[in-house]
Coordinates of all heavy atoms in Angstrom, one line a residue:
M1 N 127.8 68.6 143.3 CA 127.5 67.6 142.2 C 126.7 68.3 141.1 O 125.8 69.1 141.4 CB 126.6 66.5 142.8 CG 126.2 65.5 141.7 SD 125.0 64.3 142.3 CE 125.8 63.5 143.6
L2 N 127.1 68.1 139.9 CA 126.5 68.6 138.7 C 125.5 67.5 138.2 O 125.9 66.4 138.0 CB 127.5 68.9 137.7 CG 126.9 69.3 136.3 CD1 126.2 70.6 136.4 CD2 128.1 69.5 135.3
I3 N 124.2 67.9 138.1 CA 123.2 66.9 137.6 C 122.6 67.5 136.3 O 122.2 68.6 136.3 CB 122.1 66.7 138.7 CG1 122.7 66.2 139.9 CG2 121.0 65.8 138.1 CD1 121.7 66.1 141.1
L4 N 122.8 66.7 135.3 CA 122.3 67.1 134.0 C 121.3 66.1 133.5 O 121.5 64.9 133.7 CB 123.4 67.2 132.9 CG 124.5 68.2 133.3 CD1 125.7 68.0 132.3 CD2 124.0 69.6 133.2
T5 N 120.2 66.5 132.8 CA 119.3 65.6 132.2 C 119.4 65.7 130.7 O 119.4 66.8 130.1 CB 117.8 66.0 132.6 OG1 117.7 66.0 134.0 CG2 116.8 65.1 132.0
R6 N 119.6 64.6 130.0 CA 119.9 64.6 128.6 C 119.0 63.5 128.0 O 118.7 62.5 128.6 CB 121.3 64.3 128.3 CG 122.3 65.2 128.8 CD 122.3 66.6 128.2 NE 122.3 66.6 126.8 CZ 121.7 67.4 126.0 NH1 121.0 68.4 126.5 NH2 121.8 67.3 124.7
P7 N 118.5 63.8 126.7 CA 117.8 62.7 126.1 C 118.6 61.6 125.6 O 119.9 61.7 125.5 CB 117.2 63.5 124.8 CG 118.0 64.7 124.6 CD 118.6 65.0 126.0
V8 N 118.0 60.4 125.4 CA 118.7 59.2 124.9 C 119.4 59.5 123.6 O 119.0 60.3 122.8 CB 117.7 58.1 124.8 CG1 118.3 56.9 124.1 CG2 117.1 57.7 126.1
N9 N 120.5 58.9 123.4 CA 121.4 59.0 122.3 C 122.0 60.5 122.1 O 122.1 61.0 121.0 CB 120.7 58.6 121.0 CG 120.3 57.1 121.0 OD1 121.1 56.3 121.5 ND2 119.1 56.8 120.5
S10 N 122.3 61.1 123.2 CA 122.9 62.4 123.2 C 124.2 62.3 124.0 O 124.5 61.2 124.6 CB 122.0 63.5 123.7 OG 121.8 63.2 125.1
A11 N 125.0 63.3 124.0 CA 126.3 63.3 124.7 C 126.5 64.6 125.4 O 126.0 65.6 125.1 CB 127.4 63.0 123.7
I12 N 127.4 64.5 126.4 CA 127.9 65.7 127.2 C 129.4 65.6 127.0 O 130.0 64.6 127.2 CB 127.4 65.6 128.6 CG1 125.9 65.6 128.8 CG2 128.1 66.7 129.4 CD1 125.4 65.1 130.1
I13 N 130.0 66.8 126.7 CA 131.4 66.8 126.7 C 132.0 67.8 127.7 O 131.5 68.9 127.8 CB 131.9 67.3 125.3 CG1 131.5 66.2 124.2 CG2 133.4 67.5 125.2 CD1 131.8 66.6 122.8
L14 N 132.9 67.2 128.6 CA 133.5 68.0 129.6 C 134.9 68.4 129.1 O 135.7 67.6 128.6 CB 133.7 67.2 130.9 CG 132.4 66.7 131.5 CD1 132.7 65.8 132.7 CD2 131.4 67.8 131.8
S15 N 135.2 69.7 129.1 CA 136.5 70.2 128.6 C 137.1 71.1 129.7 O 136.4 71.5 130.6 CB 136.4 70.8 127.3 OG 135.6 71.9 127.3
N16 N 138.3 71.6 129.4 CA 139.1 72.4 130.4 C 139.1 71.8 131.8 O 138.9 72.4 132.8 CB 138.4 73.8 130.5 CG 138.5 74.6 129.2 OD1 139.5 74.5 128.5 ND2 137.4 75.3 128.8
I17 N 139.5 70.5 131.8 CA 139.7 69.7 133.0 C 141.2 69.6 133.3 O 142.0 69.3 132.4 CB 139.1 68.3 132.8 CG1 137.6 68.4 132.4 CG2 139.2 67.5 134.1 CD1 136.6 68.8 133.4
Y18 N 141.5 69.8 134.5 CA 142.9 69.7 134.9 C 143.1 68.7 136.1 O 142.2 68.5 136.9 CB 143.4 71.1 135.4 CG 143.4 72.1 134.3 CD1 142.2 72.8 134.0 CD2 144.5 72.3 133.4 CE1 142.1 73.7 132.9 CE2 144.4 73.2 132.4 CZ 143.2 73.9 132.1 OH 143.2 74.8 131.1
D19 N 144.3 68.1 136.1 CA 144.6 67.2 137.2 C 145.1 68.0 138.4 O 145.2 69.2 138.4 CB 145.6 66.1 136.8 CG 147.0 66.6 136.5 OD1 147.3 67.8 136.8 OD2 147.8 65.8 135.9
E20 N 145.5 67.3 139.5 CA 145.9 68.0 140.7 C 147.2 68.7 140.6 O 147.5 69.6 141.4 CB 146.0 67.0 141.9 CG 147.1 65.9 141.7 CD 146.7 64.7 141.0 OE1 145.6 64.7 140.3 OE2 147.5 63.7 141.0
H21 N 147.9 68.5 139.5 CA 149.2 69.2 139.3 C 149.1 70.3 138.3 O 150.0 70.9 137.9 CB 150.3 68.2 138.7 CG 150.5 67.0 139.7 ND1 151.0 67.2 140.9 CD2 150.2 65.7 139.5 CE1 151.1 66.0 141.5 NE2 150.5 65.1 140.7
G22 N 147.8 70.6 137.8 CA 147.6 71.7 136.9 C 147.8 71.3 135.4 O 147.7 72.2 134.6
N23 N 148.0 70.0 135.2 CA 148.1 69.6 133.8 C 146.8 69.4 133.1 O 145.8 68.9 133.7 CB 148.9 68.2 133.7 CG 150.2 68.3 134.3 OD1 151.0 69.2 134.0 ND2 150.6 67.4 135.2
S24 N 146.6 69.9 131.9 CA 145.4 69.8 131.2 C 145.1 68.4 130.7 O 146.0 67.7 130.3 CB 145.5 70.7 129.9 OG 144.3 70.6 129.2
L25 N 143.9 67.9 130.9 CA 143.5 66.6 130.5 C 142.6 66.7 129.3 O 142.1 67.8 129.0 CB 142.7 65.9 131.6 CG 143.4 65.7 133.0 CD1 142.4 65.2 134.0 CD2 144.5 64.8 132.8
G26 N 142.5 65.7 128.5 CA 141.7 65.7 127.3 C 140.2 65.8 127.6 O 139.8 65.7 128.8
E27 N 139.4 66.0 126.6 CA 138.0 66.1 126.8 C 137.5 64.7 127.3 O 138.0 63.7 127.0 CB 137.3 66.4 125.5 CG 137.5 67.8 125.0 CD 136.8 68.2 123.8 OE1 136.3 67.2 123.0 OE2 136.6 69.4 123.5
I28 N 136.4 64.8 128.0 CA 135.7 63.6 128.5 C 134.3 63.6 127.9 O 133.6 64.6 128.1 CB 135.6 63.6 130.1 CG1 137.0 63.6 130.7 CG2 134.8 62.4 130.5 CD1 137.0 63.8 132.2
E29 N 134.0 62.6 127.1 CA 132.6 62.5 126.5 C 131.8 61.5 127.2 O 132.2 60.4 127.4 CB 132.8 62.1 125.0 CG 131.5 62.1 124.3 CD 131.7 61.8 122.8 OE1 132.8 62.0 122.3 OE2 130.8 61.3 122.2
I30 N 130.6 61.9 127.6 CA 129.7 61.1 128.3 C 128.5 60.9 127.4 O 127.8 61.8 127.0 CB 129.2 61.7 129.7 CG1 130.4 61.9 130.5 CG2 128.2 60.7 130.4 CD1 130.2 62.8 131.7
N31 N 128.2 59.6 127.0 CA 127.2 59.3 126.1 C 126.0 58.7 126.8 O 126.2 57.8 127.7 CB 127.6 58.3 125.0 CG 128.7 59.0 124.1 OD1 128.3 59.8 123.3 ND2 129.9 58.6 124.3
I32 N 124.8 59.1 126.5 CA 123.6 58.6 127.2 C 122.9 57.6 126.2 O 122.5 58.0 125.1 CB 122.6 59.7 127.6 CG1 123.2 60.9 128.3 CG2 121.4 59.1 128.3 CD1 124.4 60.8 129.1
F33 N 122.7 56.4 126.6 CA 122.1 55.4 125.8 C 120.8 54.9 126.4 O 120.5 55.2 127.6 CB 123.0 54.1 125.6 CG 124.3 54.4 125.0 CD1 125.5 54.4 125.8 CD2 124.4 54.8 123.7 CE1 126.7 54.7 125.2 CE2 125.7 55.1 123.1 CZ 126.8 55.0 123.9
K34 N 120.0 54.2 125.7 CA 118.7 53.7 126.3 C 119.0 52.7 127.3 O 120.1 52.2 127.5 CB 117.8 53.2 125.2 CG 118.3 52.0 124.4 CD 117.4 51.6 123.3 CE 117.9 50.4 122.6 NZ 117.1 49.9 121.6
D35 N 118.0 52.3 128.1 CA 118.0 51.3 129.1 C 119.0 51.7 130.3 O 119.7 50.9 130.9 CB 118.5 50.0 128.6 CG 117.5 49.4 127.5 OD1 116.3 49.8 127.6 OD2 118.0 48.7 126.6
N36 N 119.1 53.0 130.5 CA 119.9 53.6 131.6 C 121.4 53.2 131.5 O 122.1 53.1 132.5 CB 119.4 53.1 133.0 CG 118.0 53.6 133.3 OD1 117.7 54.8 133.0 ND2 117.2 52.8 133.9
R37 N 121.9 53.1 130.3 CA 123.3 52.9 130.1 C 124.0 54.2 129.8 O 123.4 55.1 129.1 CB 123.5 51.9 128.9 CG 123.0 50.5 129.3 CD 123.2 49.5 128.1 NE 122.7 50.0 126.9 CZ 123.4 50.0 125.7 NH1 124.6 49.5 125.7 NH2 122.9 50.4 124.6
V38 N 125.2 54.3 130.3 CA 126.1 55.5 130.1 C 127.4 55.0 129.6 O 128.0 54.1 130.1 CB 126.2 56.2 131.4 CG1 127.2 57.4 131.2 CG2 124.9 56.7 131.9
G39 N 127.9 55.7 128.6 CA 129.3 55.4 128.1 C 130.2 56.6 128.3 O 129.7 57.7 128.2
V40 N 131.4 56.3 128.7 CA 132.4 57.4 129.0 C 133.6 57.2 128.1 O 134.2 56.1 128.1 CB 132.8 57.4 130.4 CG1 133.8 58.6 130.7 CG2 131.6 57.6 131.4
K41 N 133.9 58.2 127.3 CA 135.1 58.2 126.4 C 136.1 59.2 127.0 O 135.8 60.4 127.0 CB 134.7 58.5 125.0 CG 135.9 58.4 124.0 CD 135.3 58.7 122.6 CE 136.5 58.7 121.6 NZ 136.0 59.0 120.3
A42 N 137.3 58.7 127.4 CA 138.3 59.6 128.0 C 139.7 59.1 127.7 O 139.8 57.9 127.4 CB 138.0 59.7 129.5
D43 N 140.6 60.0 127.9 CA 142.0 59.6 127.7 C 142.4 58.5 128.7 O 141.8 58.5 129.8 CB 142.9 60.9 128.0 CG 144.3 60.6 127.7 OD1 145.0 60.2 128.7 OD2 144.8 60.9 126.6
K44 N 143.3 57.6 128.3 CA 143.6 56.5 129.2 C 144.3 57.0 130.5 O 144.4 56.2 131.4 CB 144.5 55.5 128.5 CG 143.8 54.8 127.3 CD 144.6 53.7 126.8 CE 144.0 53.0 125.6 NZ 142.9 52.2 126.0
S45 N 144.7 58.2 130.6 CA 145.3 58.7 131.9 C 144.2 59.0 132.9 O 144.6 59.2 134.1 CB 146.1 60.0 131.6 OG 145.3 61.0 131.2
I46 N 143.0 59.0 132.5 CA 141.9 59.3 133.5 C 141.3 57.9 133.9 O 140.9 57.1 133.2 CB 140.8 60.1 132.8 CG1 141.4 61.4 132.3 CG2 139.6 60.3 133.7 CD1 140.5 62.3 131.4
D47 N 141.2 57.8 135.3 CA 140.6 56.6 135.9 C 139.1 56.8 136.0 O 138.7 57.9 136.6 CB 141.2 56.3 137.2 CG 142.6 55.8 137.1 OD1 143.0 55.3 136.1 OD2 143.4 56.0 138.1
I48 N 138.3 55.9 135.6 CA 136.8 56.0 135.7 C 136.4 54.8 136.6 O 136.6 53.7 136.2 CB 136.1 56.0 134.4 CG1 136.6 57.2 133.5 CG2 134.6 56.0 134.6 CD1 136.2 57.1 132.1
V49 N 135.9 55.2 137.8 CA 135.5 54.1 138.8 C 134.1 54.4 139.2 O 133.7 55.5 139.5 CB 136.5 54.2 140.0 CG1 136.2 53.1 141.0 CG2 137.9 54.0 139.5
R50 N 133.3 53.3 139.4 CA 132.0 53.4 139.9 C 132.0 53.8 141.4 O 132.8 53.2 142.1 CB 131.2 52.2 139.7 CG 130.9 51.9 138.2 CD 130.2 50.6 137.9 NE 129.5 50.0 139.1 CZ 129.0 48.8 139.1 NH1 129.1 48.1 138.0 NH2 128.3 48.4 140.1
A51 N 131.2 54.7 141.8 CA 131.1 55.1 143.2 C 131.0 53.9 144.2 O 131.6 53.9 145.2 CB 130.1 56.2 143.4
E52 N 130.1 53.0 143.9 CA 129.8 51.9 144.8 C 131.1 51.0 144.9 O 131.3 50.4 146.0 CB 128.6 51.1 144.4 CG 128.6 50.5 143.0 CD 128.0 51.5 142.0 OE1 127.8 52.7 142.2 OE2 127.6 51.0 140.9
A53 N 131.9 50.9 143.9 CA 133.2 50.2 144.0 C 134.1 50.9 145.0 O 134.8 50.2 145.8 CB 133.8 50.1 142.7
L54 N 134.1 52.2 145.0 CA 135.0 52.9 146.0 C 134.4 52.7 147.4 O 135.2 52.6 148.3 CB 135.0 54.4 145.6 CG 135.8 54.8 144.4 CD1 135.7 56.3 144.1 CD2 137.3 54.4 144.5
E55 N 133.1 52.8 147.5 CA 132.5 52.6 148.9 C 132.9 51.2 149.4 O 133.2 51.1 150.6 CB 131.0 52.8 148.8 CG 130.6 54.2 148.5 CD 129.1 54.3 148.1 OE1 128.4 53.3 148.2 OE2 128.7 55.5 147.8
T56 N 132.8 50.2 148.6 CA 133.1 48.8 149.1 C 134.6 48.8 149.5 O 134.9 48.1 150.5 CB 132.9 47.8 147.9 OG1 131.5 47.9 147.6 CG2 133.2 46.4 148.4
E57 N 135.5 49.4 148.7 CA 136.9 49.4 149.0 C 137.2 50.1 150.3 O 138.1 49.7 151.1 CB 137.6 50.1 147.9 CG 139.1 49.8 147.9 CD 139.8 50.4 146.6 OE1 139.5 49.8 145.6 OE2 140.5 51.4 146.7
Q58 N 136.5 51.2 150.6 CA 136.7 52.0 151.8 C 136.2 51.3 153.1 O 136.7 51.5 154.2 CB 136.0 53.3 151.7 CG 136.7 54.2 150.7 CD 136.0 55.5 150.4 OE1 134.9 55.7 151.0 NE2 136.5 56.4 149.6
N59 N 135.2 50.4 153.0 CA 134.7 49.7 154.1 C 135.4 48.4 154.5 O 136.3 47.9 154.2 CB 133.2 49.3 153.9 CG 132.4 50.5 153.9 OD1 132.7 51.6 154.5 ND2 131.3 50.5 153.1

């Protein structure tokens, strides 16, 4: 797990990301907002799912 600490109103950009078939995916931008809010901007081909939703589905 990668853990980064960023100030409010900043962003992290992930690039050089590939899917399981080796296809390059677009950049993923993670925005940090006040009040513990996070925004994720990514290509529509990328599924973004909260971990607790996956845990509920697996049980």
Side-chain angles (χ1 to χ4, degrees):
M1 175 187 305
L2 173 65
I3 300 173
L4 300 170
T5 303
R6 300 294 307 149
V8 172
N9 296 323
S10 65
I12 299 166
I13 296 178
L14 305 175
S15 59
N16 295 321
I17 307 288
Y18 296 86
D19 67 12
E20 66 273 14
H21 303 293
N23 300 314
S24 179
L25 301 173
E27 289 184 340
I28 301 171
E29 181 177 337
I30 303 168
N31 295 287
I32 308 340
F33 301 108
K34 62 182 180 179
D35 302 330
N36 293 323
R37 293 182 306 131
V38 176
V40 180
K41 182 178 179 182
D43 186 271
K44 293 191 183 285
S45 67
I46 298 171
D47 292 331
I48 300 169
V49 181
R50 292 177 21 190
E52 55 270 20
L54 289 176
E55 291 169 4
T56 301
E57 193 173 290
Q58 291 175 354
N59 291 332

